[in-house]
Amino acid sequence: MTKKSSGEWHEKQVKCADLFPGTQWPFHPEDEVVLVVAQANEIRNCAVCCESFINGFHMPRFWWTDTYKRMNGYFGSESSRNTEGVVESCSTWSRALVKQFTASSKPEGDSEIKYQWLKYNLFTRWAFPGRIMILVFDPVESIQKRLCTILMQNLEEKELRDPYWPYAHILEEIVSLQDTSVWSLRNLVRTTELSPTRDHRYLREKPKHNYSRLHDIARHAIHVSETLDLSLKLSESLLQGHEQLVAGLQRGLTIENPQEFQRAYQNTHSRLAFFNNALSSLRCRSTSNHQRLNNEIQLRFHTDSQYDSQVSVEISHSAKSDSASMRWIAVVSLVFLPANLVSAFFSTIFFDVSNGAISVSKDLWIFWVVLIIVIVVTMVFWFYLPRAFPEDRTQLRKSTAPKEKERLLGSLARLFKREDNPQALATYP
């Protein structure tokens, strides 16, 4: 817990029972800003602690359910007024996720993309005239230190009049982190676009594209776009809630000292509007990155298809050349076949040329009978044998089908295999 009072701030660790001394304002009436870092999961597992936070900080009970624990982004607010319409307190709760990742310096085909989920999970309660309590749940160490710096050390006193002043600093940090994520993704996409294997026209062999890596980058691009959309909706909800809060100011019913609040409101609202525009700009860049990546994936797929088509054309040309050669071999065989048949026929024992003249045996009819019988039997076997046992071919196809299916499934498994960071998966909601 970090507290600021009378221009000085100090930090200390407290227990849950020490957070609620029974005073109207948490901890001490002189405290202007109180920043509490808590572990939401541990509080959920403790029924007494959960009830203490709900009753002591006036937190909505539904916030502690698993439904909102799993959400990637939201914003909500509520305020209480006295009988004269003056705002006495204002509570807000918000959640935003940012995915940051980097690639190692290894070659493109073997580089590993490491990533980390950063979470902003806050609850604020503002009390008249300008005191605020900020609950931050489950921040990583870097986020915790940064929040202590921007919310406690760089605080301007005039900002305390506006219940939404912490979000001007929170949105600034979200924009900075989202900018890093978007441009890190852009660098990965640009590295892919500059790959030497991008154009097959200058390659002598088929390029080996790492489709698994490309789909990993696409998955990160989807997450970046998702978190950017939610951050943009968060900023829009902040602007809308801020405008609704100040709408009563024009009727003279919102808070006392409207001129001081008006100055604080103008500064906060202008910053919220600017960061909303910055998030819109980053969203356009993220969309462009996603489209460029999809274009590269399609280009590589079509490049492989074109290379395979060129190989098929070359094979067809080779087959055509082989076919021409076989045709000439067949022509030569046909030329010499009649001579072979005649010489084989006259070399049988049915012809006798020993006396200087050709004499034909009277048993020549045996040759023709046996020849006709052999030809008929051969044609019968050739025509009817495949039709007599069709199940042999069916079983052959069935026996090879599971092996082919297993090979295809193995290829798909290798293509879409994911080696995610276990630590990152544990932090993903």
Side-chain angles (χ1 to χ4, degrees), residues 74-294:
Y74 53 76
F75 174 79
S77 64
E78 60 183 10
S79 60
S80 60
R81 304 170 185 264
N82 57 20
T83 56
E84 299 178 356
V86 177
V87 175
E88 292 183 337
S89 63
C90 179
S91 299
T92 64
W93 51 92
S94 61
R95 180 183 177 92
L97 293 180
V98 180
K99 187 176 188 180
Q100 286 196 322
F101 51 91
T102 56
S104 63
S105 58
K106 298 179 181 180
E108 179 188 353
D110 301 326
S111 60
E112 179 182 2
I113 302 176
K114 299 180 180 180
Y115 60 91
Q116 181 185 21
W117 286 98
L118 302 179
K119 176 173 60 177
Y120 286 87
N121 197 9
L122 290 86
F123 177 86
T124 67
R125 182 166 179 80
W126 178 89
F128 179 83
R131 296 176 298 175
I132 190 169
M133 183 272 305
I134 305 172
L135 282 174
V136 182
F137 294 97
D138 307 315
V140 297
E141 184 177 359
S142 59
I143 297 297
Q144 179 178 342
K145 292 181 179 179
R146 184 60 183 165
L147 289 177
C148 291
T149 301
I150 63 176
L151 297 179
M152 305 298 291
Q153 300 181 23
N154 300 334
L155 177 63
E156 298 181 6
E157 297 296 335
K158 62 181 181 180
E159 294 180 337
L160 296 178
R161 299 290 298 177
D162 192 335
Y164 281 68
W165 71 263
Y167 288 102
H169 302 280
I170 298 299
L171 277 185
E172 181 180 2
E173 292 300 309
I174 292 178
V175 169
S176 178
L177 293 175
Q178 291 286 14
D179 177 77
T180 302
S181 299
V182 169
W183 284 98
S184 296
L185 178 64
R186 178 265 177 194
N187 294 336
L188 290 174
V189 175
R190 187 56 179 165
T191 302
T192 303
E193 292 174 341
L194 297 177
S195 174
T197 61
R198 188 172 186 258
D199 193 346
H200 71 286
R201 292 176 298 176
Y202 306 104
L203 300 177
R204 295 186 177 181
E205 59 182 9
K206 184 176 181 179
K208 297 179 180 179
H209 300 306
N210 192 342
Y211 287 101
S212 178
R213 173 187 168 82
L214 292 176
H215 284 280
D216 275 339
I217 298 176
R219 176 170 56 89
H220 294 310
I222 293 173
H223 287 160
V224 170
S225 298
E226 175 191 4
T227 56
L228 261 177
D229 284 337
L230 293 172
S231 298
L232 185 59
K233 291 180 180 179
L234 170 64
S235 64
E236 293 173 351
S237 299
L238 281 169
L239 283 172
Q240 182 179 3
H242 199 222
E243 291 174 353
Q244 292 176 353
L245 181 65
V246 81
L249 176 62
Q250 300 176 358
R251 301 191 303 268
L253 298 176
T254 305
I255 60 173
E256 297 179 354
N257 301 323
Q259 293 181 353
E260 295 182 8
F261 176 77
Q262 183 70 25
R263 288 192 294 268
Y265 162 78
Q266 291 176 351
N267 293 333
T268 302
H269 195 79
S270 61
R271 290 187 180 183
L272 292 177
F274 171 74
F275 294 135
N276 179 72
N277 291 333
L279 288 173
S280 300
S281 176
L282 289 175
R283 183 64 183 90
C284 294
R285 168 59 63 175
S286 178
T287 302
S288 175
N289 290 339
H290 201 182
Q291 293 176 351
R292 289 167 61 184
L293 182 60
N294 289 337

